[in-house]
Amino acid sequence: MRMHGASEEVPVLLGVNTFGDVGLGPDGEPKPHAQVIRDVVEEGKLADQVGLHAFGVGEHHRKDFAVAAPEVLLAAVAAQTQNIRLASAVTVLSSDDPVRVFQRFSTLDAISRGRAEVILGRGSFIESFPLFGFDLEDYEVLFEEKLELFDRVRSQKPINWEGRTRRPIRGLTAYPHLEDGLLDTWIGVGGTPQSVVRAAHYGYPVSFAIIGGEPARFAPFVDLYKRSLEKFGKPYTQLATHSPGHVADTDEQAREELFPHWLAMRNQLGVERGWGPGSRTEFNAQASRSGALYVGSPETVARKIAETHRVLGTERFDLKYSNGTLPHGAMMKSIELLGTKVAPLVADMLA
């Protein structure tokens, strides 16, 4: 397994990710999907230039997100970058084909010379299920069976598998194979014990999606994961957290830039999911030192990342730098500051 973890010199590796949120253009109108996709490629190039560890792209299948095929976009980023890890964030395995997921990411691994990662999950949105013809009543069994099949495909050995969600595979092998080892694979977890134990069963590292509440509340899940690895006889590799946020020169600037776009996205989801309207009070609570929004100056964001590391012991932090209708220019500045200012500050704070 080719896990690229933290070193003694860098206690926390910093990455960024996006869903290709459709931001506003100079005219105040939503950008076309095609332009958003081109913008994401530029964001990935910048993330590599400023020395960030990983660039992740998630999939969605709805109007307010432009990226539906992350591997294609990541291949474009791979062609224009040198060092950065290229990941999904996440791949919704339940509504995909495990064989094709492996093939797409093994192809990306070849293009990028070994920089591909896949983060498998069930996602926080369900629009892919009806789009690809899956029944939401099979939500649990689809993920369980497809993860089992993916693990066998990933071994790069002949596959023997049988389940109830697709036809059996008898003695076939999926190609292309990797040049070196196995495909780096993570499980994205939103905070359920069953998901943590499942990841440990396969020996996959976990990326915790902390999108609300206090990061410290995930400490019991970290402990559960480590105990489960020991139970299953699997080695520990690394753990990561993923949270939304925004970096600007000052705390005030970062909050004022982010708030209206955060609110627009929050209220859109609220309408869909039956929540009440968002507010500045809610935003401020999430942006506080103990909240899930990593927003502020480089010093403020670095301090919060360092504190998360101290509490959870995770070796990687990925910032979701795109937030609703936030413009491309503000996102580019956030990526630049994360690599040039935040990363060195985090290293100093944890030295």
Side-chain angles (χ1 to χ4, degrees):
M1 193 173 186
R2 314 165 308 148
M3 295 312 304
H4 298 257
S7 67
E8 293 180 1
E9 293 77 21
V10 184
V12 179
L13 298 165
L14 300 189
V16 287
N17 53 48
T18 179
F19 299 156
D21 307 45
V22 175
L24 299 180
D27 59 358
E29 294 296 318
K31 284 189 173 183
H33 286 165
Q35 184 58 55
V36 174
I37 289 170
R38 290 190 288 268
D39 288 347
V40 172
V41 174
E42 292 302 311
E43 291 153 12
K45 287 170 57 180
L46 178 60
D48 184 57
Q49 291 166 4
V50 298
L52 290 171
H53 175 71
F55 183 73
V57 181
E59 67 168 287
H60 281 292
H61 308 274
R62 45 185 287 153
K63 186 177 181 179
D64 44 351
F65 298 105
V67 179
E71 306 91 341
V72 178
L73 196 155
L74 289 169
V77 176
Q80 301 185 56
T81 56
Q82 297 296 321
N83 300 306
I84 199 163
R85 306 287 300 164
L86 302 168
S88 62
V90 299
T91 294
V92 183
L93 187 64
S94 307
S95 57
D96 211 326
D97 183 279
V99 178
R100 293 298 285 152
V101 169
F102 171 79
Q103 291 176 324
R104 297 196 301 263
F105 277 91
S106 62
T107 301
L108 174 63
D109 199 72
I111 293 168
S112 65
R113 297 186 177 274
R115 292 186 280 137
E117 300 180 354
V118 60
I119 303 179
L120 304 173
R122 290 178 291 185
S124 59
F125 291 77
I126 59 173
E127 74 275 355
S128 63
F129 286 80
L131 184 63
F132 298 123
F134 293 98
D135 192 335
L136 277 171
E137 292 186 1
D138 296 328
Y139 186 82
E140 292 291 339
V141 69
L142 280 167
F143 188 73
E144 290 173 1
E145 287 199 357
K146 291 189 177 191
L147 182 58
E148 179 186 49
L149 175 54
F150 177 87
D151 188 64
R152 297 189 188 184
V153 175
R154 178 178 173 268
S155 73
Q156 303 175 132
K157 298 175 181 178
I159 305 158
N160 288 286
W161 179 89
E162 184 173 348
R164 73 175 182 85
T165 55
R166 58 161 290 168
R167 293 182 64 84
I169 301 180
R170 309 288 191 197
L172 302 177
T173 304
Y175 302 99
H177 286 177
L178 276 70
E179 288 181 301
D180 175 29
L182 302 179
L183 178 65
D184 286 357
T185 303
W186 297 68
I187 301 294
V189 172
T192 61
Q194 297 88 343
S195 297
V196 172
V197 173
R198 185 187 294 117
H201 171 76
Y202 289 101
Y204 291 162
V206 167
S207 177
F208 291 106
I210 305 177
I211 57 177
E214 297 184 10
R217 70 185 175 88
F218 280 76
F221 294 112
V222 171
D223 292 339
L224 175 62
Y225 175 70
K226 292 179 178 179
R227 286 189 279 109
S228 298
L229 283 176
E230 185 175 353
K231 173 185 175 182
F232 295 126
K234 302 290 186 179
Y236 177 83
T237 51
Q238 61 180 324
L239 287 170
T241 59
H242 147 97
S243 292
H246 180 60
V247 191
D249 290 325
T250 67
D251 288 349
E252 182 181 9
Q253 180 185 353
R255 292 191 180 207
E256 292 308 311
E257 285 181 351
L258 180 59
F259 175 68
H261 308 286
W262 173 90
L263 185 63
M265 178 174 62
R266 163 66 178 78
N267 284 342
Q268 175 63 38
L269 294 178
V271 170
E272 296 175 9
R273 301 182 180 187
W275 304 338
S279 67
R280 188 67 190 235
T281 300
E282 179 186 349
F283 175 81
N284 288 341
Q286 290 297 320
S288 70
R289 185 168 181 174
S290 60
L293 270 178
Y294 289 68
V295 55
S297 67
E299 293 81 4
T300 295
V301 173
R303 192 179 306 113
K304 196 164 181 175
I305 293 171
E307 181 63 21
T308 300
H309 169 75
R310 294 188 185 102
V311 171
L312 300 181
T314 47
E315 293 87 7
R316 176 163 151 183
F317 173 82
D318 291 329
L319 181 78
K320 183 182 179 289
Y321 67 89
S322 61
N323 293 274
T325 52
L326 190 67
H328 173 60
M331 291 190 286
M332 291 285 278
K333 183 65 175 180
S334 185
I335 292 169
E336 177 189 349
L337 290 173
L338 192 71
T340 60
K341 301 292 185 182
V342 176
L345 285 168
V346 172
D348 288 344
M349 291 174 183
L350 297 175

